[in-house]
Amino acid sequence: MRAGIDLGGTKIEGLVLNGAGIPLARRRIAAPQGDYQATIRAICDVIRDLEAEAGPVGHVGVGIPGTISPATRLVKNANSTWLIGHPFDVDLESALGRPVRLANDANCFAVSEAADGAAQGAAAVFGVILGTGVGGGIALNGRPVSGLNAVAGEWGHNPLPWPRDDERPGPRCYCGLSGCIETFLSGPALAHDHLTATGENLSPPDIAARAEAGDAAADATLARYEDRLARALATVINLLDPDAIVLGGGLSNLSRLYANVPRLWGKWVFSDEVATRLVPARHGDASGVRGAAWLWPAEISSRP
């Protein structure tokens, strides 16, 4: 059996999978806010509840909204800022009394979709989170790639490529730079772009509904978004050349992306043809916790 924890900004989700990837037990609770020790206790409670239902599991995989710095062994780049500066893996292992393997939540997403999701069987998978923020994760042969600096896949904090005149220098990003991909492709960025163009303050689902109903302004907003997404993903294809790119997060529900973006990205990909598939996540918002469970090989994860 495999146990996984997805530690989000607002929720903690736990899951136990059998060897075939079938869920045996699941728990979802609100995440403590601003309290490091309470977060560790909450994860321990979730694991205890999962084991009460599914039986004992030996190892635990955890996806976090950040990463462990190779230099300091402390959490960095975490949206859940109360984790930053702590040896989270060490503290959680001590509290659980068993080995813990951590990965960035976007990498867990990519692993999940590569293991038994929309990109099952693909050798190279790039997982994209398009939501409140924009993230990316890489899975090669079903395993996450973190990189030497633990920032592999941090696609959202590269500049939007091939910017047009009206896109320079770009919105200011919380990372301190301007024009990051996240500032153009997140959900709030899409809503802001529509507001700037039309004066209407609409949510992304409302913009999509308006476009589907024939609203020309809403359709133009989505067309700008698709063009920017195509440029941004073209750089991924040029660098990684993945078999599949899997979209997750709220904006992955924009069904028109899967036809329109591949029609556009060939203009910027350095190839005569592009066979890379663009697909929606099979497991939806459960991909993160499933990917965390897949962090341990089956022959290890079942050991007591």
Side-chain angles (χ1 to χ4, degrees), residues 160 166-186 188-189 192-193 196 228:
L160 182 72
D166 62 353
E167 294 169 338
R168 298 187 181 94
R172 190 74 173 169
C173 183
Y174 78 88
C175 73
L177 300 176
S178 295
C180 290
I181 287 171
E182 179 168 305
T183 68
F184 288 98
L185 295 183
S186 68
H192 181 73
D193 181 61
T196 300
R228 290 163 178 164

Side-chain angles (χ1 to χ4, degrees), residues 64-153:
I64 66 170
T67 191
I68 298 290
S69 166
T72 66
R73 303 307 306 167
L74 306 177
V75 174
K76 67 175 182 178
N77 299 346
N79 292 336
S80 300
T81 54
W82 54 94
L83 302 178
I84 293 175
H86 290 281
F88 185 62
D89 52 347
V90 174
D91 291 342
L92 189 56
E93 281 190 348
S94 176
L96 287 171
R98 71 193 75 189
V100 169
R101 185 169 287 179
L102 296 187
N104 176 266
D105 51 5
N107 283 343
C108 289
F109 169 77
V111 166
S112 171
E113 293 299 324
D116 63 352
Q120 184 173 2
V125 177
F126 190 71
V128 174
I129 306 296
L130 298 172
T132 304
V134 170
I138 301 169
L140 296 180
N141 298 315
R143 307 307 301 161
V145 177
S146 297
L148 182 63
N149 302 295
V151 294

Side-chain angles (χ1 to χ4, degrees), residues 7-264:
L7 174 58
T10 60
K11 55 85 179 174
I12 297 173
E13 185 170 7
L15 180 71
V16 174
L17 300 176
N18 68 12
I22 298 172
L24 301 179
R26 186 189 300 269
R27 290 289 184 276
R28 186 174 180 133
I29 64 171
Q33 298 297 300
D35 191 326
Y36 180 73
Q37 293 299 333
T39 299
I40 290 178
R41 290 193 298 270
I43 292 174
C44 291
D45 289 344
V46 169
I47 292 295
R48 184 189 64 242
D49 291 345
L50 291 172
E51 290 189 314
E53 181 174 345
V57 292
H59 299 65
V60 178
V62 182
I64 66 170
T67 191
I68 298 290
S69 166
T72 66
R73 303 307 306 167
L74 306 177
V75 174
K76 67 175 182 178
N77 299 346
N79 292 336
S80 300
T81 54
W82 54 94
L83 302 178
I84 293 175
H86 290 281
F88 185 62
D89 52 347
V90 174
D91 291 342
L92 189 56
E93 281 190 348
S94 176
L96 287 171
R98 71 193 75 189
V100 169
R101 185 169 287 179
L102 296 187
N104 176 266
D105 51 5
N107 283 343
C108 289
F109 169 77
V111 166
S112 171
E113 293 299 324
D116 63 352
Q120 184 173 2
V125 177
F126 190 71
V128 174
I129 306 296
L130 298 172
T132 304
V134 170
I138 301 169
L140 296 180
N141 298 315
R143 307 307 301 161
V145 177
S146 297
L148 182 63
N149 302 295
V151 294
E154 286 290 0
W155 169 72
H157 292 284
N158 287 292
L160 182 72
W162 299 284
R164 309 193 190 287
D165 289 342
D166 62 353
E167 294 169 338
R168 298 187 181 94
R172 190 74 173 169
C173 183
Y174 78 88
C175 73
L177 300 176
S178 295
C180 290
I181 287 171
E182 179 168 305
T183 68
F184 288 98
L185 295 183
S186 68
L190 175 60
H192 181 73
D193 181 61
H194 187 74
L195 175 64
T196 300
T198 68
E200 292 183 304
N201 190 8
L202 298 177
S203 69
D206 288 338
I207 295 169
R210 290 273 193 96
E212 189 171 353
D215 185 300
D219 184 74
T221 296
L222 292 185
R224 288 191 299 275
Y225 185 87
E226 290 160 351
D227 180 80
R228 290 163 178 164
L229 181 58
R231 281 181 271 154
L233 291 179
T235 63
V236 172
I237 298 171
N238 285 337
L239 285 169
L240 183 61
D241 201 10
D243 299 85
I245 297 173
V246 185
L247 302 187
L251 295 183
S252 70
N253 294 318
L254 297 174
S255 59
R256 56 185 275 171
L257 298 180
Y258 302 98
N260 293 349
V261 171
R263 280 200 290 261
L264 296 169

